[in-house]
Amino acid sequence: MRRQFQLLITSVLLILSLTTGCVMQQGLSLTEDQSGWATVDLSVYDFFSTILEDFAPFDEDMADTSVIEQSVDDFVVQLDNAPSTSEASAMKIKDNSYFIDFTFSSLNGILNDLANQNQQTLLTVKESKNSTRLEFYLDLDNYPQLTEIVPFLADENFETFGPLYNQGMNEADYLEMISYILGEEGPDAIRESVISLRLTAPDPIESYEGGILEDDTTIRFDIPLIDILLLAEPITFYAQW
């Protein structure tokens, strides 16, 4: 039972656990053939760590291991088992702070592996004769695809926090609900939470939308967490090189 809980937490740590004060930066470095290297810098505040430990089923065999640490270890095992990834490792920087990295043979392959080979439209890489374009698109219609990749989002204990359950709710009402459920620290944690994706392309970036160009080949896309939780409007960005 505890292991099932940890596998669910693994997914949400990397994408949506920011609801309770987690900082996450995802880095992707691509080569010409769409293989590359990925990194995750994850830092979870004490507030979130305490909530996880309070709700986790007790297991004597894992009493000395925190839920977060075990979840990171389980995620590395999942990466090792995925056909499109290799050389996955995690390093504990300090309490509740980790650095994860791995190589991948195909960016599309990672998502296909996580989605059990089901077709997805969230992230696409399109190649033409003279350029490559990476596009991200998320709305209420393809949100179920995200739940395929991140099964935690479909869990009955979490789905009430997600956009399908809260369609039409405005930000103020949503944050009031969070304050009632998680306490007065919850709303500020959500307001301050941003998921960052830093993409390094193999060639100079020619055009982009929804991001901040950091140098000729590197762009950063910042997504406020509240935008994902409500999906009042589609979340979309692209870069072309």
Side-chain angles (χ1 to χ4, degrees), residues 1-230:
M1 178 67 178
R2 180 181 171 99
R3 180 171 177 80
Q4 292 174 341
F5 177 85
Q6 289 164 344
L7 291 175
L8 293 175
I9 292 298
T10 298
S11 300
V12 78
L13 278 176
L14 296 179
I15 297 188
L16 289 174
S17 65
L18 302 179
T19 52
T20 45
C22 170
V23 176
M24 192 272 281
Q25 295 183 341
Q26 170 79 58
L28 286 175
S29 297
L30 291 176
T31 65
E32 293 285 355
D33 64 359
Q34 297 182 30
S35 64
W37 178 46
T39 62
V40 179
D41 289 284
L42 177 67
S43 181
V44 183
Y45 291 100
D46 291 341
F47 172 54
F48 181 42
S49 177
T50 300
I51 289 176
L52 289 182
E53 296 298 335
D54 286 345
F55 282 93
F58 180 73
D59 187 332
E60 288 187 358
D61 293 336
M62 299 180 181
D64 296 330
T65 304
S66 72
V67 172
I68 295 171
E69 183 173 355
Q70 187 61 49
S71 297
V72 170
D73 291 343
D74 288 342
F75 178 65
V76 172
V77 171
Q78 290 175 327
L79 289 173
D80 282 334
N81 292 333
S84 61
T85 62
S86 60
E87 300 178 9
S89 66
M91 178 186 300
K92 184 175 182 179
I93 307 302
K94 57 183 179 179
D95 286 346
N96 300 328
S97 181
Y98 300 86
F99 176 78
I100 304 167
D101 69 331
F102 58 94
T103 60
F104 55 89
S105 58
S106 166
L107 185 56
N108 283 329
I110 296 174
L111 293 175
N112 289 337
D113 288 343
L114 295 176
N116 298 316
Q117 302 304 314
N118 293 326
Q119 186 175 10
Q120 59 84 28
T121 60
L122 296 165
L123 186 67
T124 57
V125 179
K126 302 177 181 178
E127 293 184 283
S128 62
K129 182 177 180 181
N130 298 316
S131 65
T132 300
R133 181 183 177 105
L134 180 147
E135 297 181 355
F136 178 87
Y137 185 90
L138 174 65
D139 65 7
L140 288 170
D141 290 333
N142 71 352
Y143 180 80
Q145 296 177 19
L146 187 60
T147 67
E148 286 281 338
I149 296 172
V150 189
F152 179 91
L153 302 180
D155 181 76
E156 61 182 7
N157 295 315
F158 179 82
E159 63 181 356
T160 55
F161 294 96
L164 297 183
Y165 191 89
N166 296 292
Q167 291 186 49
M169 182 179 289
N170 61 40
E171 181 175 333
D173 290 341
Y174 184 87
L175 293 177
E176 182 178 355
M177 177 187 73
I178 291 297
S179 179
Y180 177 77
I181 297 173
L182 298 181
E184 60 183 18
E185 295 178 71
D188 285 342
I190 290 180
R191 292 189 189 98
E192 297 168 2
S193 295
V194 177
I195 301 171
S196 292
L197 170 64
R198 178 177 280 105
L199 170 68
T200 301
D203 296 305
I205 295 172
E206 301 171 347
S207 64
Y208 63 93
E209 184 176 279
I212 300 171
L213 198 64
E214 296 188 339
D215 59 42
D216 288 348
T217 60
T218 304
I219 188 168
R220 190 184 79 245
F221 301 102
D222 294 333
I223 308 173
L225 181 64
I226 189 65
D227 290 354
I228 294 179
L229 293 174
L230 294 179

